[in-house]
Every structure is written in structure tokens, then in C-alpha cells.
Amino acid sequence: MNRKELIDAMAAKTECTKVCADRSIAALIDIVTATLKKGENVALVGFGTFEVRKRAARTGRNPQTGAEIKIKASKAPAFKAGATLKAAVNSSKK
């Protein structure tokens, strides 16, 4: 599902316009992004948690030359699925 399909599905599910659904999705993305930027988590009980994970600096290899390179420490956004979402995905019923 891409963004346009998500907007269409949200508009149909909530019985609002596509413009309203698009604004709602954009607002959710902005809020999650801003919260993660501050280093905080966004927990949606039953659905999952958006969090920032720290990656340590490490040594890697250039695949073309085989030369060692230093990879800087970084932060990466991550999503950890909640129990309800996991159960729904693993359920045999549709």
C-alpha cells in the first residue's frame, strides 16, 4: 500500500474527504518525526512503538576495493510491533 492508497482507505474508513485524510496522515508523520528527533518514543498501545536506536561507530569494508572504512555512529528510526498487531498479522482468519 502506498500513500495514495492509504489516503483512500482512511477516507473511506472514517467517512471524511481525501483532503482531510491526507492532512491527518501528514500530521501523524510530522508528529512522529518531531518526537523521534527529540529522542523520545511514540507508543501506540496494541499497535507498536516508534523509537530511535543508536548505532555504534564501526569498521566496514568497501565492497569494490576491499579497503577498510570507518562508519560513524548514527541514530536510526525503528518500529517495534505491539502484541495486538503481531496477533492480527499471524492470525489465520481474514
Side-chain angles (χ1 to χ4, degrees), residues 2 5 8 10-11 16 21 26 30 36 38 41 47 53-54 58 62-63 70-71 77 93:
N2 61 31
E5 293 168 340
D8 292 342
M10 182 133 179
C16 71
D30 289 345
L36 293 177
K38 290 190 281 186
N41 295 344
F47 183 70
R53 294 186 183 152
K54 295 178 183 173
R58 61 194 187 280
N62 180 330
K70 291 187 179 187
I71 302 170
K93 295 180 183 178

Side-chain angles (χ1 to χ4, degrees), residues 1-76:
M1 177 179 278
N2 61 31
R3 184 180 177 121
K4 183 183 179 312
E5 293 168 340
L6 179 60
I7 291 168
D8 292 342
M10 182 133 179
K13 186 82 170 178
T14 61
E15 298 177 357
C16 71
T17 65
K18 289 181 184 180
V19 172
C20 177
D22 185 30
R23 285 185 190 148
S24 297
I25 291 170
L28 176 66
I29 292 169
D30 289 345
I31 292 166
V32 170
T33 301
T35 304
L36 293 177
K37 244 178 149 172
K38 290 190 281 186
E40 299 172 5
N41 295 344
V42 177
L44 303 172
V45 176
F47 183 70
T49 303
F50 294 93
E51 60 189 10
V52 176
R53 294 186 183 152
K54 295 178 183 173
R55 293 185 178 164
R58 61 194 187 280
T59 303
R61 290 208 175 269
N62 180 330
Q64 292 180 335
T65 64
E68 283 192 359
I69 56 172
K70 291 187 179 187
I71 302 170
K72 294 180 181 180
S74 64
K75 297 177 190 172

Side-chain angles (χ1 to χ4, degrees), residues 46-47 80-91:
F47 183 70
K80 185 169 39 174
T84 306
L85 179 60
K86 286 180 188 178
V89 170
N90 289 311
S91 173

